[in-house]
Amino acid sequence: MSRGKNIARPITPRPQESTSQPPSPPSQRAADSQPHRNPASITEISSRQPITRAIAGAEPTMSRLGELLGSLIDFIAEFDKTGVLLQVWTGNESLLIRPVDEMLGKPLHDIIGGDEYRPFCGLFERIHSSGVAEDLEYSLNLADGLHWFIARAIPVVASDSGERTIRVLVQDVTRLRKTEAHSRKMESLLAHTQKIAKVGSWEYDTERRTVLWSEQMYRMLGLGNGSEAIGLNKACQMFHPDDRARVWQDVTTLIETGQPLENELRFLTAYGETRTFFSRAIPVRDESGAVRLIRGFSQDVTERRAAEIELRRSQELLAQAEQIANLGSWELSVQGETRMVSENLCHIIGEDPKQRPITVKEALERMDPGDAATVRQNLARANGEGVAFEQEVRYRLPDGRLRTLHIRCVPMLDLSKNVARLVGVTRDVTEQRKAQRAWRESERHYQILVNSLKDHAVLGFDRNGHVISWHNGAELLMGYTAKEILGLHFSRFYSAEDISSEKPIRELDHALREGRFEGEGWRVRKDGSRFWAEAVLAPLPDDEGQLMGFASITRDITERKKAEEELAKREALLAEAENLADIGSWELDLKSGEMNWSLQLYRILGYDPVQTTPSFAEFSQLIQIDLRDELRREKPPAAMPRYPIESVVRWELRDGSVRILHTRAWPAHNSAGEPLRMIGTTEDVTDRIEREGQLRRLSQQLLHARDTEQRRIARDLHETAVQSMAAIKMMLGRIGSLIPKSSKRARNLLRSATDVADEIVRELRTISHLMHPPLLDESGLYPALHWYARGFAERSGINTNLEMDEEFGRLPRDTEIAIFRIVQEALTNVHRHSGSRHATIRILREGANVCVEVEDRGRGMSRASGLAGGSEVQLGVGTAGMRERVAQLDGTFEIKSAPTQGTIVRAVLPAPEDRAESGNKEV
């Protein structure tokens, strides 16, 4: 079938079993074209068998095959060897990028554009030449968006003309790709959700007695990620020894009863920590009703349980604190009912804690009438407006003694900002009032002292926290004059949120209890501006040890606070960066030997930061370098810097695992150039080295597969294609004997056909020998290289000289193949890039090694260095292949080049004499 006839042929529908059947409606054809089939279906219906000619009797078979293809693929296109579209079969024209009439007879490159044509580049020529089908995947932007397709291109020989075309079977897999992307997204979302909530999932197989954990479960247990089920005995090792019996008992109960299970168990993580997990599990039954699987989740509640214990402890400490501070707490409802009176408050007001709590009415009756009226007003305001208050009242105990009590009341609001209850504390301040007299006597001396301070605010409070002394430094810092502030409570220097949380009172209580309070926090000036203050608060006793009041020193440290926050932020960013990069940092004082490690370095080395003190002696085992000796050495020339100092060691963690660590160190000098300290980093490169090893092994396998495939193809070309062409020549000769001598035109055509056949035979032999020269296996390296150099010179016009001893001898087969490929690739680069008219190949022995050099006199490389693969060398795919072959044979590879000076590609390979013979016995 000629190309012109194919282009003129109209588009044919998909083959039908019977022409009498009506065509499928468009909706049905569109449904059939949807990517609901297995993507491998196209591959399954085609093969890589040798191309055979179609015969006339195969029409029914081809019809059935066409029906099968129509059910598995979305459209079929046929191209010639240059990529020109000849025919199209489809049941869904929406998958075509253009109307059919506009595409027929045009190259595919012009139809779909340069970028989207990339997967098809060289495809048609390659299949037309080799006769072997190929698979590919590509994407196109259609009218309804981006579509993904998989295709299989197979060679087809026309039965009438014998012309070979390429038929492409295409399947739309857009929906499958979108489904896969959505599935990956949902799996990632589930994993992130488990990580955020600290919840891990698991599954126990009751028949196989194996446990399968999710990735989050592995993280919660401090283990590396795993995907395989583990045995029950191994999983039980993660439970606390005291809980293991209960685990098995709970599992047995669940299997017997089939009821969901909830429990709390202690786990031993890989870091040696004991963590508490809350778990819930449900049974999964098989068809017989037996419990086949147990699925559940576990949540780490260690901190929650610790917080509950801490809350109970705090409540106990509160009761003790009330006794120590001689104060009591109470709580009232909004209706004025007494909800709670602490035991210590009962002792303060002379009541029996075992009896019912005293009512508000009864307490008001024992107060001084004037104080009681004020308390009623303050309670009403607190209940109605939510305003806290403090007040001192004179209170008469049941035994008749008169005491002075200080009351502090704070309204507690609900979510609607309404007052839900009133809580307060009451303290007996009788003795404090007595001490005020002594306080006033010393006030004059104190004022003289504090007025001499200009950069601090030194304040004096009475026993209740009211300001009783003020000076110039306090006025400059706080903005109040003495007349404005004296007699007011010191809580006005605090923010509203601190007042609501009773922070001022708590600081006074802390100072009374501990003898001193030091802290930092926000303070508020008279104009409402805030500053970060460092405050010291201390109680002032009289000669008898009775409290007279408090002294407070306040200093503005806002700028220092900002600097500390910035430093903390930078340290946090550094720690996060180290964690992401899996790099730890350290610092060594060369004089004292003291070291500082980052938290990430503790993790890398498997140490607990709390229990481990970094020491230089232990760290020396890690770097295996004496840094002091290293620094005492004579400084190298400026052109040869010695820093950073590097080492790579194998480090055994406490769990027995071995990691490979890469350490780098730099010195820090003073102005005189003397080293003061060393700073460095340590990186865990175990995974990277393992991946590099895997890539190296994979590369070796690929190169070996490539050589094997080239050898097979070369043999097939020589034994099949060349022989077939020889048979064609013989048949042409027989045809020539049948053509009359008078038919000059026929004889001329026959002669041209014979010449073309001769040329094809020569080209096939050349291609076969280039892919794998038989001389390399039969005669050795010298004859193969001599043959290749001569052929290269003839094909390229480059004068090529081989400098090699004819008695060079044999080498191991892998070495000979590597040398031949290196020379082949290097000469190809000379022809493509150098512009040189001369090339020299040198092969010589150097002891137990073989040196291979390919030199040209061309333009050279603008950037090159000694070792190939370095950061300054521009390497192509071919150069990388040469380097990889040399590396697999434990050799060295380098490129020497300079602009206009030419290039030398040099490889040195080990070639021991005793291995040369054994490596080629099978040749």
Side-chain angles (χ1 to χ4, degrees):
M1 180 185 302
S2 68
R3 182 181 305 173
K5 293 180 179 179
N6 285 339
I7 294 176
R9 179 180 298 173
I11 298 176
T12 59
R14 290 181 174 177
Q16 305 289 331
E17 280 192 5
S18 173
T19 57
S20 62
Q21 294 179 356
S24 300
S27 60
Q28 180 63 36
R29 292 199 302 270
D32 291 342
S33 67
Q34 294 303 316
H36 60 276
R37 301 176 296 275
N38 190 319
S41 59
I42 294 179
T43 305
E44 293 167 0
I45 66 173
S46 58
S47 66
R48 296 180 179 269
Q49 299 301 323
I51 302 171
T52 59
R53 297 179 178 273
I55 59 176
E59 290 300 329
T61 303
M62 294 302 295
S63 176
R64 290 192 295 273
L65 178 59
E67 182 66 23
L68 175 61
L69 291 176
S71 66
L72 293 175
I73 62 179
D74 292 302
F75 66 87
I76 305 173
E78 187 167 350
F79 301 87
D80 67 6
K81 67 178 181 179
T82 63
V84 173
L85 180 63
L86 305 178
Q87 298 186 63
V88 177
W89 294 268
T90 181
N92 185 5
E93 295 189 6
S94 66
L95 297 177
L96 300 180
I97 194 170
R98 296 183 186 176
V100 176
D101 294 338
E102 297 180 8
M103 295 189 295
L104 287 178
K106 294 184 179 180
L108 181 60
H109 180 277
D110 297 340
I111 296 174
I112 64 176
D115 292 338
E116 296 177 331
Y117 180 75
R118 192 171 293 118
F120 298 90
C121 184
L123 175 70
F124 304 109
E125 294 85 348
R126 190 166 57 252
I127 296 178
H128 188 275
S129 175
S130 65
V132 178
E134 294 188 18
D135 298 323
L136 70 152
E137 181 171 352
Y138 67 97
S139 60
L140 287 177
N141 274 309
L142 302 181
D144 59 346
L146 184 64
H147 282 241
W148 285 266
F149 300 91
I150 61 174
R152 182 168 181 83
I154 58 176
V156 178
V157 177
S159 60
D160 53 357
S161 67
E163 182 178 359
R164 180 181 297 176
T165 59
I166 293 89
R167 187 163 295 168
V168 182
L169 295 78
V170 182
Q171 180 182 4
D172 186 354
V173 294
T174 304
R175 182 179 300 174
L176 176 63
R177 293 294 180 264
K178 292 181 178 180
T179 302
E180 292 173 348
H182 179 73
S183 177
R184 289 192 296 270
K185 181 177 179 180
M186 297 308 297
E187 290 177 358
S188 176
L189 178 62
L190 176 60
H192 280 82
T193 302
Q194 289 187 351
K195 187 174 181 180
I196 294 172
K198 292 185 177 181
V199 175
S201 56
W202 50 268
E203 179 182 89
Y204 171 60
D205 191 320
T206 60
E207 180 177 335
R208 298 179 180 177
R209 297 172 64 86
T210 57
V211 179
L212 185 64
W213 288 332
S214 67
E215 291 185 7
Q216 179 61 21
M217 196 71 184
Y218 275 96
R219 283 192 288 267
M220 291 163 57
L221 295 174
L223 302 173
N225 289 340
S227 59
E228 299 295 333
I230 63 174
L232 178 61
N233 292 333
K234 183 177 180 181
C236 286
Q237 297 301 316
M238 303 302 297
F239 292 105
H240 192 281
D242 296 341
D243 292 347
R244 291 171 186 170
R246 186 158 63 92
V247 171
W248 185 245
Q249 180 181 357
D250 290 346
V251 171
T252 303
T253 302
L254 187 146
I255 294 175
E256 292 176 352
T257 64
Q259 297 298 320
L261 167 69
E262 290 186 3
N263 61 16
E264 282 192 10
L265 299 170
R266 291 168 293 175
F267 281 77
L268 301 177
T269 69
Y271 303 121
E273 297 179 314
T274 299
R275 309 291 295 180
T276 301
F277 287 5
F278 169 78
S279 301
R280 177 173 175 81
I282 59 174
V284 178
R285 302 178 183 274
D286 58 15
E287 296 178 353
S288 65
V291 176
R292 180 65 176 83
L293 299 173
I294 299 177
R295 291 173 177 165
F297 72 87
S298 296
Q299 183 177 18
D300 190 340
V301 296
T302 307
E303 284 73 18
R304 184 191 304 174
R305 297 297 177 260
E308 293 174 355
I309 295 174
E310 185 64 25
L311 177 60
R312 291 193 295 269
R313 182 182 176 187
S314 298
Q315 292 173 346
E316 296 174 356
L317 290 175
L318 177 61
Q320 296 175 2
E322 287 187 356
Q323 295 178 0
I324 296 173
N326 195 26
L327 57 83
S329 56
W330 47 269
E331 180 179 347
L332 303 178
S333 67
V334 292
Q335 292 79 20
E337 299 175 351
T338 304
R339 287 187 174 179
M340 184 275 296
V341 176
S342 69
E343 182 177 354
N344 200 55
L345 181 56
C346 291
H347 295 310
I348 291 174
I349 61 178
E351 298 291 332
D352 186 355
K354 297 181 181 180
Q355 302 296 326
R356 65 170 180 81
I358 187 172
T359 64
V360 175
K361 180 179 179 181
E362 292 171 343
L364 291 174
E365 290 175 350
R366 295 185 181 180
M367 295 180 189
D368 178 83
D371 296 340
T374 305
V375 169
R376 289 190 182 92
Q377 294 176 359
N378 289 334
L379 286 175
R381 187 182 179 192
N383 197 14
E385 303 177 14
V387 179
F389 72 89
E390 293 185 40
Q391 183 181 349
E392 287 189 3
V393 298
R394 288 161 288 180
Y395 189 89
R396 189 168 299 278
L397 302 182
D399 59 7
R401 290 181 298 155
L402 186 64
R403 308 293 292 177
T404 302
L405 304 180
H406 179 267
I407 301 173
R408 164 73 175 170
C409 176
V410 177
M412 306 304 295
L413 307 180
D414 57 17
L415 296 178
S416 302
K417 304 300 182 181
N418 297 322
V419 177
R421 55 197 175 96
L422 302 176
V423 297
V425 293
T426 299
R427 177 183 297 170
D428 187 343
V429 295
T430 307
E431 285 73 17
Q432 296 178 15
R433 294 297 171 262
K434 294 180 181 179
Q436 287 180 356
R437 185 180 301 106
W439 174 263
R440 296 190 186 94
E441 292 177 356
S442 61
E443 181 179 359
R444 185 174 62 87
H445 301 284
Y446 175 74
Q447 289 294 333
I448 295 174
L449 173 64
V450 298
N451 284 330
S452 63
L453 300 175
K454 301 300 181 183
D455 55 350
H456 290 69
V458 180
L459 313 177
F461 309 141
D462 62 17
R463 297 177 61 180
N464 298 322
H466 296 91
V467 180
I468 58 176
S469 67
W470 196 254
H471 72 102
N472 297 335
E475 183 174 342
L476 293 174
L477 184 61
M478 300 295 187
Y480 292 95
T481 63
K483 183 178 181 181
E484 294 171 333
I485 197 64
L486 289 177
L488 300 179
H489 199 267
F490 83 105
S491 60
R492 68 175 49 245
F493 305 138
Y494 290 73
S495 62
E497 54 268 24
D498 288 344
I499 295 176
S500 299
S501 65
E502 298 187 338
K503 183 177 180 181
I505 301 302
R506 287 187 279 107
E507 290 180 357
L508 289 179
D509 294 341
H510 184 278
L512 284 174
R513 184 172 59 254
E514 303 294 338
R516 180 184 179 88
F517 169 79
E518 295 185 19
E520 298 179 3
W522 289 109
R523 296 295 185 269
V524 181
R525 297 185 178 93
K526 177 184 176 181
D527 59 4
S529 62
R530 292 154 57 108
F531 66 94
W532 191 262
E534 179 185 51
V536 178
L537 185 64
L540 298 176
D542 58 16
D543 295 338
E544 298 179 356
Q546 299 297 320
L547 180 66
M548 297 188 304
F550 299 89
S552 173
I553 301 177
T554 303
R555 184 161 61 101
D556 185 353
I557 59 169
T558 305
E559 296 302 323
R560 190 184 79 181
K561 178 66 174 178
K562 291 180 180 179
E564 291 175 351
E565 290 177 349
E566 182 66 23
L567 178 60
K569 181 179 179 180
R570 293 179 180 272
E571 290 178 347
L573 290 175
L574 176 61
E576 183 67 20
E578 289 185 353
N579 187 32
L580 293 175
D582 201 13
I583 296 177
S585 58
W586 53 269
E587 181 182 27
L588 168 65
D589 189 318
L590 295 174
K591 293 184 177 180
S592 64
E594 296 181 355
M595 295 203 69
N596 291 320
W597 293 357
S598 68
L599 291 177
Q600 184 62 18
L601 183 56
Y602 280 101
R603 299 189 189 101
I604 292 175
L605 300 181
Y607 289 145
D608 186 348
V610 178
Q611 300 179 359
T612 305
T613 301
S615 65
F616 177 70
E618 187 171 12
F619 190 68
S620 298
Q621 301 176 9
L622 171 64
I623 59 176
Q624 296 184 358
I625 296 176
D626 191 330
L627 296 178
R628 295 185 177 90
D629 290 345
E630 189 74 20
L631 291 170
R632 282 195 293 268
R633 295 179 183 176
E634 183 179 356
K635 295 183 178 179
M640 298 177 60
R642 290 189 293 109
Y643 302 113
I645 303 170
E646 298 189 52
S647 68
V648 178
V649 299
R650 296 172 62 86
W651 183 264
E652 183 175 353
L653 302 181
R654 295 186 175 182
D655 60 3
S657 60
V658 177
R659 309 297 292 177
I660 301 176
L661 305 182
H662 178 207
T663 299
R664 310 179 75 194
W666 294 264
H669 301 81
N670 59 12
S671 57
E674 299 175 349
L676 298 179
R677 57 194 177 96
M678 293 291 293
I679 57 177
T681 60
T682 297
E683 179 182 4
D684 187 340
V685 296
T686 308
D687 297 337
R688 187 181 70 192
I689 291 178
E690 290 179 356
R691 288 193 296 270
E692 290 175 353
Q694 294 172 357
L695 290 175
R696 178 61 54 82
R697 290 189 294 271
L698 177 60
S699 176
Q700 183 175 5
Q701 295 172 2
L702 290 175
L703 288 176
H704 179 72
R706 173 186 171 186
D707 292 338
T708 302
E709 184 66 10
Q710 286 183 343
R711 179 180 299 180
R712 185 192 65 78
I713 294 174
R715 185 183 299 112
D716 290 346
L717 286 175
H718 185 269
E719 294 178 356
T720 59
V722 173
Q723 300 302 323
S724 297
M725 291 305 301
I728 290 175
K729 287 182 59 180
M730 294 175 62
M731 288 187 289
L732 290 175
R734 294 180 63 184
I735 292 173
S737 62
L738 300 176
I739 298 175
K741 294 182 180 180
S742 60
S743 180
K744 294 182 179 181
R745 182 177 182 184
R747 285 187 171 275
N748 290 336
L749 289 175
L750 179 62
R751 189 179 302 108
S752 299
T754 304
D755 293 340
V756 170
D758 289 337
E759 180 65 21
I760 291 175
V761 170
R762 286 193 297 272
E763 288 296 330
L764 287 175
R765 286 175 176 171
T766 301
I767 293 173
S768 173
H769 290 178
L770 287 177
M771 295 186 72
H772 188 80
L775 287 174
L776 187 62
D777 291 337
E778 298 169 358
S779 304
L781 193 60
Y782 176 79
L785 289 178
H786 186 272
W787 166 83
Y788 180 76
R790 183 179 58 193
F792 174 78
E794 293 174 355
R795 292 188 300 272
S796 65
I798 298 175
N799 184 16
T800 306
N801 183 30
L802 173 63
E803 298 180 2
M804 182 178 181
D805 190 356
E806 293 184 13
E807 304 299 328
F808 184 82
R810 301 304 302 270
L811 295 172
R813 184 173 62 185
D814 290 344
T815 305
E816 289 185 342
I817 293 175
I819 292 175
F820 185 84
R821 295 304 181 197
I822 289 172
V823 172
Q824 190 178 33
E825 185 62 39
L827 288 179
T828 300
N829 290 340
V830 171
H831 176 59
R832 292 178 178 175
H833 308 297
S834 71
S836 174
R837 307 309 303 167
H838 300 276
T840 302
I841 306 170
R842 299 186 187 91
I843 311 292
L844 66 152
R845 292 183 181 271
E846 295 181 349
N849 298 323
V850 174
C851 177
V852 182
E853 288 186 357
V854 178
E855 180 180 3
D856 67 69
R857 304 174 188 176
R859 60 177 62 92
M861 299 171 63
S862 59
R863 288 189 299 168
S865 67
L867 293 178
S871 60
E872 298 180 358
V873 178
Q874 297 175 328
L875 294 178
V877 175
T879 307
M882 290 189 287
R883 180 189 62 190
E884 189 60 32
R885 288 182 182 273
V886 172
Q888 290 174 6
L889 295 175
D890 296 328
T892 60
F893 180 78
E894 61 180 345
I895 298 176
K896 297 180 180 179
S897 183
T900 72
Q901 300 298 317
T903 301
I904 298 177
V905 176
R906 188 174 192 271
V908 179
L909 303 174
E913 294 290 344
D914 56 341
R915 295 177 55 191
E917 294 296 333
S918 62
N920 288 280
K921 286 181 178 179
E922 60 182 275
V923 176

